[in-house]
Amino acid sequence: MLIHSIKELREKVKTWKAEGLSVGLVPTMGALHAGHKSLIDRSVKRCDRTVVSVFVNPIQFCPGEDLDKYPRTLEADEKLCEGSGVDIVFAPSPKEMYGEGHILSNDFLTYVIPPYFYVDKLCGKSRVGHFDGVCTVVNKLFNIVQPDYAFFGEKDRQQLIIIKKMVNDLNIPIEIVPCPIVREDSGLALSSRNKYLSDEDRVNALALSKILFNIKACYKKGVNDCKALFETAYEYLNESHSLEYLEFRDADNLEEKTTADDNTVVFIALKIGNVRLIDNIMLGEEC
Ligand code: PAF
């Protein structure tokens, strides 16, 4: 069932709650792919009812980013959800979520601002204000849907860590369920932005996963000096790549690591032409 209105959504969820049913929320910006499907499948398996939100959130895009050209494929998204046992696809308009006008101005909207330490690094460094927009919309979705569980992909691991922090700090009574990255056979992590890649870009994009897999293999062989691990990346980079960051950070609080351990996540962001791709790997997890 496709719902655009907050009021209608709330009424529906209220009837489920009255019946004592558990509710799962999968927040998305649409253009659903197998990565989203794995989140949806987890929710459908774990919860009595599942809501998938499809909302391209304008306040998490920085000036000059791809807000206008971000893929919007609601019909296909609805089909995927229908075939996956989703109960409601919630697709509000920007006006429904933020009201008339001024939605891009901090002067006219109450924001949820995550701690500076969590946002002044990795993606937050080049995408200033991005995580304010994410936390604000996720809070709104939490308040609208009031789910018992919310499912987030580890592909956006900085986002996941920040949302867990927000839920903990603000005592939000929702269990955050992290879901593993889904990759193509080639190793490329699934992302809605992969749609922007040409055939040649796709080949060059394999550098991200190759760098991460190789670092993990070196770590498993006993190398734990992060500088030495960093240097192994050069082998995979060519003139088509612009490396934004390759960093070693703690999986819980994003502190920088100089010596890697099992709780270290290696984060990478790489630009190929105009397409910016991110990926990450947890060193302690089994391959
Ligand atoms: O990860 C995303 O797709 C978005 O950042 C989210 C969590 C749906 C908020 O708009």
Side-chain angles (χ1 to χ4, degrees):
M1 178 194 280
L2 177 65
I3 292 184
H4 297 289
S5 119
I6 293 173
K7 187 167 174 280
E8 204 184 322
L9 188 274
R10 279 201 162 131
E11 276 163 10
K12 190 74 203 159
V13 174
K14 213 168 155 186
T15 65
W16 295 341
K17 295 263 171 176
E19 289 172 53
L21 300 173
S22 64
V23 179
L25 170 66
V26 183
T28 82
M29 297 207 301
L32 302 184
H33 50 64
H36 296 110
K37 167 111 171 85
S38 81
L39 271 61
I40 292 169
D41 289 346
R42 276 161 199 263
S43 177
V44 169
K45 195 163 172 207
R46 184 153 179 180
C47 308
D48 298 318
R49 296 289 181 268
T50 290
V51 177
V52 174
S53 63
V54 173
F55 180 60
V56 181
N57 175 34
I59 68 164
Q60 72 185 71
F61 287 77
C62 302
E65 287 190 347
D66 55 346
L67 172 61
D68 291 337
K69 73 169 189 164
Y70 196 86
R72 288 157 169 88
T73 58
L74 186 56
E75 224 172 278
D77 295 345
E78 226 191 309
K79 269 206 190 110
L80 183 144
C81 288
E82 217 177 67
S84 307
V86 170
D87 299 279
I88 290 177
V89 176
F90 175 52
S93 65
K95 189 174 152 205
E96 179 72 3
M97 286 296 273
Y98 294 116
E100 295 279 8
H102 301 307
I103 62 166
L104 295 177
S105 162
N106 306 22
D107 297 342
F108 292 90
L109 183 69
T110 305
Y111 271 73
V112 178
I113 315 281
Y116 190 62
F117 183 81
Y118 285 67
V119 301
D120 69 340
K121 49 185 57 67
L122 304 170
C123 291
K125 214 167 173 176
S126 64
R127 307 190 73 192
V128 176
H130 167 71
F131 290 112
D132 301 353
V134 169
C135 285
T136 302
V137 81
V138 167
N139 245 283
K140 283 170 74 75
L141 290 167
F142 284 176
N143 287 328
I144 292 165
V145 180
Q146 300 190 13
D148 302 286
Y149 302 91
F151 297 76
F152 291 89
E154 287 176 343
K155 163 80 174 28
D156 296 303
R157 201 185 282 260
Q158 186 179 13
Q159 168 176 283
L160 171 64
I161 291 169
I162 289 172
I163 287 169
K164 275 164 120 179
K165 171 87 177 136
M166 173 185 82
V167 162
N168 184 58
D169 288 354
L170 301 182
N171 306 96
I172 299 174
I174 295 172
E175 185 177 328
I176 302 301
V177 185
C179 305
I181 297 174
V182 179
R183 298 180 183 279
E184 292 181 356
D185 291 343
S186 65
L188 183 67
L190 297 192
S191 159
S192 304
R193 290 190 168 96
N194 289 353
K195 288 200 165 104
Y196 302 150
L197 296 169
S198 67
D199 288 349
E200 194 186 335
D201 291 341
R202 277 189 157 267
V203 175
N204 286 318
L206 300 185
L208 286 107
S209 54
K210 282 185 178 163
I211 288 170
L212 295 179
F213 293 163
N214 185 50
I215 287 176
K216 186 159 176 169
C218 293
Y219 171 73
K220 294 281 183 199
K221 279 188 196 144
V223 185
N224 63 1
D225 175 49
C226 292
K227 191 163 175 287
L229 290 168
F230 179 100
E231 280 164 7
T232 63
Y234 292 123
E235 184 185 334
Y236 300 96
L237 295 172
N238 62 38
E239 62 292 340
S240 74
H241 299 124
S242 161
L243 183 64
E244 187 178 304
Y245 61 72
L246 174 62
E247 295 186 22
F248 297 74
R249 296 202 171 263
D250 184 86
D252 299 316
N253 58 24
L254 291 176
E255 262 170 29
E256 191 165 11
K257 301 270 193 172
T258 49
T259 306
D261 58 25
D262 281 359
N263 203 40
T264 300
V265 178
V266 189
F267 291 89
I268 187 168
L270 200 59
K271 256 186 150 176
I272 297 162
N274 287 328
V275 189
R276 181 178 176 280
L277 297 173
I278 60 170
D279 199 348
N280 69 82
I281 205 161
M282 173 98 168
L283 293 183
E285 264 166 19
E286 287 312 310
C287 299

